[in-house]
Amino acid sequence: MAFDYIITARKLASGQFTAEPGPLKFIKVPRNAVIYDETHVIARTAWVEEVVALADGDDNPLSISPLGDLLFYVHGYNNTIEAVLARQRTLSANMRAELWRGLVVSFDWPSNNQLLGYFEDRDDGAEVAHLLVETCLDIVVTQQRRKCVTNIHMIGHSAGAYVITKAFEFAHNKGKYFKSDWRLGQVAFISGDVSRNSFFGTDQWVEVMNKRVMRFTNYFNPFDAALAVSNAKRLGVSPRAGRRGLPDNLGDKIVDVNCGDYFQTLKPDPKEWMGSWSHSWYFQSRVFARDLSMTLEGAIDRDFIPTRELRDDKLHLRDAPRPKYIEEWGVNDAAKRTTDSGRTV
């Protein structure tokens, strides 16, 4: 039987998980289950061992990771447990179909399924961000101290991007993480509900990201209606990175990918989408999954990933296949030969 893995910061009450913050629990849920509950809780040690083993158990010949790839997915506001599981599974299936062989796991933070709870959810997101540090980053630090070469990544959707930014700020201020020698592979935002102004280099999370992350990719859609609402609630003074994109000249580690032209070619299917189509279409798109897969694998320079077109020094998402002979390049073999003390060179 196949399983999905989640770290949840939801409060457990009467055997069910709620939309309020609570102590962390580690979840292993059968893939055919619609929700998870108390019966799916397992010990942290067992959870980490199983997740790392699964991530490392299927070598990807296209990845620069000597062993495996692990992607932490952090969802946005107003997500039910059902939606979190559905999106995790859809993203994982699409990436698998696009030849990525890593493991997608979720960090499920409590978020009310009502629009009026939006600002309350952002407060909850800030509250649980330190839990993201205490779990995900602690797993990273512990595994890398053990010379584990699993490549660990994060992706944040909507307000999940906000949770990740707050987590990086906590990491900057918390002694054992600030002083430890740890790194992440890739961090990506999709429909990021964070201010584009926060990328001007003054925020602590940007400083930590530049120090600890191999590359950051911001996927944005100028036609994102949900982020238009988010911007309006702030009286338009703080454009969202997931709708407007990033400022120019942010350095080599930060990549902006405009998905607007490609998005306009998509016909919404009400049976397939989850939530606002313009805000959540990424989960259903094989083209996006292909681009994200090649991004996480790290074998191709950011400007030359085939699913991107460079126009006027800006990258635009497009529908294009992988390089025809990429599986014969020996990418993973080269990565395994160029390791030093358990760390990729």
Side-chain angles (χ1 to χ4, degrees):
M1 179 183 293
F3 295 90
D4 292 299
Y5 294 82
I6 301 98
I7 300 173
T8 185
R10 296 177 185 266
K11 183 178 180 180
L12 183 63
S14 302
Q16 302 297 317
F17 288 94
T18 70
E20 297 299 323
L24 288 176
K25 302 292 184 183
F26 294 80
I27 306 298
K28 176 183 179 182
V29 57
R31 192 149 296 163
N32 60 358
V34 178
I35 64 171
Y36 64 80
D37 57 32
E38 186 177 27
T39 64
H40 301 124
V41 177
I42 66 173
R44 170 183 170 139
T45 301
W47 189 95
V48 173
E49 288 178 353
E50 289 187 31
V51 162
V52 173
L54 287 169
D56 291 346
D58 191 0
D59 279 355
N60 185 353
L62 311 179
S63 175
I64 64 171
S65 174
L67 285 179
D69 290 277
L70 178 61
L71 176 62
F72 278 96
Y73 158 56
V74 186
H75 65 78
Y77 67 89
N78 295 337
N79 273 221
T80 62
I81 291 175
E82 293 92 333
V84 173
L85 282 173
R87 287 176 172 173
Q88 175 182 345
R89 289 164 176 169
T90 301
L91 178 63
S92 178
N94 282 340
M95 293 182 68
R96 196 78 179 178
E98 293 298 336
L99 305 182
W100 191 69
R101 297 186 184 178
L103 181 67
V104 180
V105 300
S106 289
F107 182 85
D108 184 11
W109 60 284
S111 56
N112 200 312
N113 195 32
Q114 299 178 11
L115 184 59
L116 293 178
Y118 174 62
F119 288 104
E120 177 184 353
D121 287 346
R122 289 186 73 89
D123 291 340
D124 288 346
E127 181 178 343
V128 302
H130 75 280
L131 298 178
L132 180 62
V133 172
E134 293 289 350
T135 53
C136 298
L137 289 190
D138 193 57
I139 290 171
V140 172
V141 171
T142 300
Q143 293 302 113
Q144 290 180 354
R145 282 176 177 168
R146 294 174 179 173
K147 308 303 182 184
C148 174
V149 288
T150 306
N151 218 7
I152 301 177
H153 319 279
M154 286 187 185
I155 185 169
H157 175 238
S158 188
Y162 171 78
V163 173
I164 291 177
T165 63
K166 302 305 292 185
F168 272 87
E169 290 179 6
F170 281 118
H172 181 83
N173 293 317
K174 193 171 180 62
K176 71 174 183 178
Y177 299 108
F178 182 74
K179 298 175 183 178
S180 299
D181 181 22
W182 60 270
R183 66 154 184 89
L184 291 175
Q186 306 272 350
V187 172
F189 288 173
I190 50 177
S191 298
D193 195 358
V194 293
S195 168
R196 75 188 299 265
N197 296 332
S198 65
F199 287 85
F200 281 109
T202 57
D203 283 18
Q204 289 181 339
W205 80 271
V206 176
E207 179 183 344
V208 181
M209 180 183 67
N210 279 320
K211 181 179 180 181
R212 306 288 192 175
V213 176
M214 176 179 172
R215 181 162 294 133
F216 168 80
T217 304
N218 179 61
Y219 295 93
F220 73 98
N221 177 21
F223 304 99
D224 192 317
L227 291 184
V229 174
S230 175
N231 193 41
K233 287 178 177 291
R234 294 171 178 80
L235 303 179
V237 298
S238 184
R240 316 320 288 165
R243 187 169 188 262
R244 182 76 176 273
L246 303 180
D248 293 329
N249 303 318
L250 291 175
D252 290 337
K253 282 197 172 185
I254 299 178
V255 184
D256 215 20
V257 180
N258 187 335
C259 301
D261 289 346
Y262 173 71
F263 169 76
Q264 292 184 84
T265 69
L266 303 178
K267 182 179 180 180
D269 183 350
K271 295 180 181 179
E272 297 297 331
W273 68 15
M274 294 170 280
S276 166
W277 170 250
S278 62
H279 192 57
S280 304
W281 63 273
Y282 299 92
F283 294 96
Q284 278 73 40
S285 172
R286 286 279 296 272
V287 172
F288 167 72
R290 192 179 312 142
D291 187 279
L292 180 62
S293 296
M294 287 186 280
T295 297
L296 300 187
E297 289 161 2
I300 305 174
D301 182 84
R302 60 180 185 174
D303 289 339
F304 295 91
I305 291 176
T307 43
R308 299 173 185 179
E309 181 181 4
L310 186 63
R311 301 199 310 262
D312 300 324
D313 294 324
K314 304 289 185 181
L315 292 172
H316 296 260
L317 187 69
R318 66 178 179 181
D319 188 353
R322 285 177 176 266
K324 185 175 181 179
Y325 300 109
I326 188 172
E327 294 185 71
E328 300 176 30
W329 291 358
V331 172
N332 192 247
D333 292 336
K336 290 178 177 179
R337 289 194 299 269
T338 55
T339 57
D340 179 24
S341 302
R343 300 293 296 277
T344 54
V345 178

